[in-house]
Amino acid sequence: MEGVTGVYEPVQHHWFHCQNPVDCRSSWIPFSREDSLRLEETHKHGETSGEEEVEVVVATEGRRFDVRLKERKCFAVYWEQPPLEVRRCSWFHKGDKDISYTPYPEDTSLVLEEAYMMAVKLNDWMKKIQFPTGETVVLHSPTLMTQQQTIPLKDWISLPSEQSQPRMVKRGLEGIRVELPEGEPDQVDHLVFMVHGIGPTCDIQLRGVVQCVNDFRGASLNLLCSHFKQSQDGTHMGRVEFLPVDWHGVLHGDATGVDDDIQRITLPSISRLRQFSNSTVLDLFFYNSPTYCQTIIDTVASEINRLHQVFLQRHPQFTGEVSLAGHSLGSLILFDLLTNQERRNKDEEGSSVSSPSEATPLDFESFEDTLRNFGLGKYVQMLPKEQMDLESLGLCSETFFKDLGIPLGPCKKIMYLLKRWRGQQESRTGTSHPVPGIPGIAGVYSQVQEHPTLLSGAPSTSPVDYKYFDVGIGQVSIVYPQLAFQPQAFFALGSPIGMFLTVRGLKRIDPKYSLPTCKSFYNIYHPFDPVAYRIEPMVVFPDVDLPPILIPHHKGRKRMHLELKDSLKRVSSDLLLSISTVRGVWQTLTMLPVNTLPPVARVGTTAALPPQESEGGRPVCKKCSGAPNGTVSPTEMRNISVGMLNGGRRFDYVLQEKPLESFNEYLFAIQSHLCYWDSKDTVLLLLREIYEGKGILL
């Protein structure tokens, strides 16, 4: 022991951060060993060089947080949250009812370490160190140290008994049970932006999108180590970075004032249910409003572009691809955004992309530059040929631009810019004129003139106008901004995309259609999710009963109860087949011999039908002819054509329900819609598809 030999060894410090600033007693989380070592080296370098007063910033947690050593604070880089307290720890204490050890403040740890050093060198134990806070630490031996609270005599009766019990004191990490998080590789192979759905919370634990994405990222790191270990050792794999995209805070913030407007008309009864509905369910209605839909789309696009720019600044060596993932309504937002992207060259991706929704003044001299800034530069040369100026453009309708060969998307942007210019002219002159070609605008302006108090302060936007684009996908008629990159894949989790497309009047998606700038698309859902809908049936023929692809369990097999269910189905089908065979044989033996005659077609029979027809006159799919009831056999599932949304590959994927969930699917319906954030099967599917494009397989 150190007390016998009298050899003192300095304590090894480790850095912690307080996860919950309100109650720091049991919420101190250690940094990874790599981050703590980096912080300790920077701290010691400042001590030796005499630069302790100079602020030094150290990137931690995969460069998502910056630690300012002088302030002892940890700041988030990509999202807003209160700074976390950081502490250089060496001494810890814990009560009988505490779950984990709590680190002492740094000045207290310094006093304890000096007392411990003197006790070791002098072999003098049973020392008592008293602190101004009333605490007393007793050094009984090198392995036994306790903390006692000095209690005044008047408080002996009222003080709880557990507070008077001595607390265990430990020196260094060797004596405490603490799980150090695994360090993250510096190399980032892929970047994924994750957009949440309705409401401020994302999962059954009522956590926000930041916490859910953090757990999703942690699960991906564990699966990379367990399932891609061989590839990781051979090809120098890094990791996949997942970043959250929050739009709910902007929509319900002070800038829009929508919460105050809704609160004024909300009934006082069942207040909690109404508050829940106002903060969650109403997001669906907001998205179908052209005013707030524009706010949501602009927020998502600008936040993604901002996060992408910050990420490139912090990872200048990044050469990987970028993907998008959306949950619930977030997937629909991304789908509408991606269907309105314009294909551009690789050298144009790094340039800043503006949106016509930005409040920049328009005039005739800068109108051509404005069109270029808004991604409409290739249509500028068409206007001088027609001898068009800004005044004449304001008199043109949407049909005129279509006659010029301008697609509907850019045509809408030009009409939006003209509407803004006319609004500026009206604000200067105090007059209003209808904009040609935009239905509903004239009616809105007339209402403003006749009833100024009814629509006072209301934005002069067009009503909800669902338009069919060249691929037949109806969307709210707003201006869709452009992303600063072309995503490699789009993952929809628990998505209502299929339902919204159907409600918008779309019956079938053109099999030739693909997202303009995104190569791959995946629709991932839980079988009991009440919000999720399939999309493949909107692409394949109606007579084809194509089941979704079952996502494998992350442990490498189908769940036991699903295998048992399949076995029972096979046994029952074999039993029915045997019964029908015996019945057919018995009928053959008991039939009287008859003359061989050609079959006579009768009404209600299928004997006279052509070989390629069945009952009802519907054609039989050749690919489905080998499977019963029009279903596709498992061997033909992956080979059937499902359009170009995913490059000709299947894109409807279904998770395996848990054994407990299979007992009552209604009971676990809500949980099924929120399960994707902590589903390892979902995480593994994303990793497999991402690294498959890099030539790395499981």
Side-chain angles (χ1 to χ4, degrees), residues 178-390:
V178 58
E179 183 179 356
L180 297 180
E182 294 291 337
E184 302 181 17
D186 293 334
Q187 176 185 340
V188 178
D189 299 329
H190 202 89
L191 174 62
V192 180
F193 295 109
M194 306 194 73
V195 182
H196 66 88
I198 62 173
T201 58
C202 297
D203 64 350
I204 200 66
Q205 303 178 27
L206 303 180
R207 298 181 303 171
V209 62
V210 174
Q211 291 79 10
C212 291
V213 174
N214 287 342
D215 284 356
F216 200 91
R217 185 190 308 109
S220 69
L221 293 173
N222 295 332
L223 291 174
L224 281 175
C225 296
S226 60
H227 289 68
F228 294 84
K229 188 173 182 180
Q230 294 181 356
S231 301
Q232 206 169 11
D233 296 339
T235 59
H236 303 288
M237 286 178 56
R239 61 182 175 91
V240 178
E241 180 63 276
F242 296 89
L243 295 180
V245 178
D246 182 16
W247 55 266
H248 184 272
V250 177
L251 175 63
H252 295 266
D254 297 334
T256 61
V258 64
D259 283 359
D260 296 335
D261 298 336
I262 294 295
Q263 187 62 36
R264 285 196 297 268
I265 61 176
T266 302
L267 301 181
S269 59
I270 53 174
S271 58
R272 293 187 179 180
L273 181 58
R274 295 186 190 277
Q275 292 298 331
F276 172 79
S277 175
N278 290 346
S279 61
T280 55
V281 181
L282 287 187
D283 288 346
L284 292 174
F285 299 95
F286 287 142
Y287 187 68
N288 283 287
S289 164
T291 300
Y292 297 109
C293 180
Q294 186 72 68
T295 301
I296 295 174
I297 288 291
D298 288 345
T299 301
V300 172
S302 61
E303 182 68 5
I304 290 177
N305 288 335
R306 183 191 69 85
L307 293 174
H308 182 254
Q309 182 179 5
V310 174
F311 176 83
L312 293 181
Q313 293 175 354
R314 299 184 68 86
H315 298 266
Q317 306 299 327
F318 176 75
T319 58
E321 298 290 340
V322 184
S323 294
L324 301 175
H327 174 244
S328 188
L329 181 61
S331 63
L332 179 65
I333 297 172
L334 290 176
F335 185 82
D336 289 344
L337 184 62
L338 290 176
T339 54
N340 288 274
Q341 297 297 296
E342 297 180 0
R343 291 184 175 92
R344 26 183 222 281
N345 299 328
K346 284 290 184 179
D347 54 356
E348 298 178 3
E349 292 185 16
S351 60
S352 59
V353 181
S354 302
S355 170
S357 60
E358 298 175 0
T360 54
L362 299 176
D363 52 45
F364 175 71
E365 289 77 10
S366 63
F367 187 70
E368 294 184 0
D369 295 335
T370 304
L371 292 178
R372 293 188 179 93
N373 293 335
F374 294 154
L376 305 173
K378 60 182 178 180
Y379 304 110
V380 174
Q381 57 184 356
M382 297 182 181
L383 302 180
K385 294 180 181 180
E386 303 294 334
Q387 298 181 357
M388 303 293 295
D389 57 6
L390 196 55

Side-chain angles (χ1 to χ4, degrees), residues 632-658:
V632 180
S633 61
T635 57
E636 297 173 341
M637 270 188 204
R638 293 184 176 272
N639 298 326
I640 193 170
S641 176
V642 289
M644 298 304 297
L645 267 177
N646 195 24
R649 301 180 299 168
R650 300 287 307 278
F651 51 84
D652 274 354
Y653 288 82
V654 60
L655 292 167
Q656 302 181 36
E657 70 271 15
K658 298 178 181 179

Side-chain angles (χ1 to χ4, degrees), residues 331-483:
S331 63
L332 179 65
I333 297 172
L334 290 176
F335 185 82
D336 289 344
L337 184 62
L338 290 176
T339 54
N340 288 274
Q341 297 297 296
E342 297 180 0
R343 291 184 175 92
R344 26 183 222 281
N345 299 328
K346 284 290 184 179
D347 54 356
E348 298 178 3
E349 292 185 16
S351 60
S352 59
V353 181
S354 302
S355 170
S357 60
E358 298 175 0
T360 54
L362 299 176
D363 52 45
F364 175 71
E365 289 77 10
S366 63
F367 187 70
E368 294 184 0
D369 295 335
T370 304
L371 292 178
R372 293 188 179 93
N373 293 335
F374 294 154
L376 305 173
K378 60 182 178 180
Y379 304 110
V380 174
Q381 57 184 356
M382 297 182 181
L383 302 180
K385 294 180 181 180
E386 303 294 334
Q387 298 181 357
M388 303 293 295
D389 57 6
L390 196 55
E391 290 288 344
S392 56
L393 280 176
L395 300 176
C396 295
S397 64
E398 185 175 319
T399 307
F400 169 77
F401 295 104
K402 291 183 180 179
D403 295 338
L404 289 180
I406 300 178
L408 184 58
C411 176
K412 285 290 184 181
K413 295 181 181 180
I414 296 177
M415 297 298 295
Y416 180 85
L417 294 174
L418 291 174
K419 185 181 70 174
R420 280 183 46 208
W421 172 80
R422 184 170 293 278
Q424 295 176 7
Q425 297 296 322
E426 292 165 359
S427 62
R428 296 172 184 173
T429 61
T431 60
S432 62
H433 304 281
V435 180
I438 301 183
I441 291 295
V444 172
Y445 280 115
S446 63
Q447 291 178 5
V448 172
Q449 293 177 352
E450 296 175 4
H451 308 282
T453 58
L454 179 63
L455 296 177
S456 60
S460 58
T461 58
S462 61
V464 179
D465 184 16
Y466 291 110
K467 292 294 183 180
Y468 287 99
F469 290 83
D470 54 351
V471 295
I473 298 179
Q475 295 172 339
V476 181
S477 180
I478 63 171
V479 179
Y480 289 89
Q482 300 296 302
L483 297 178

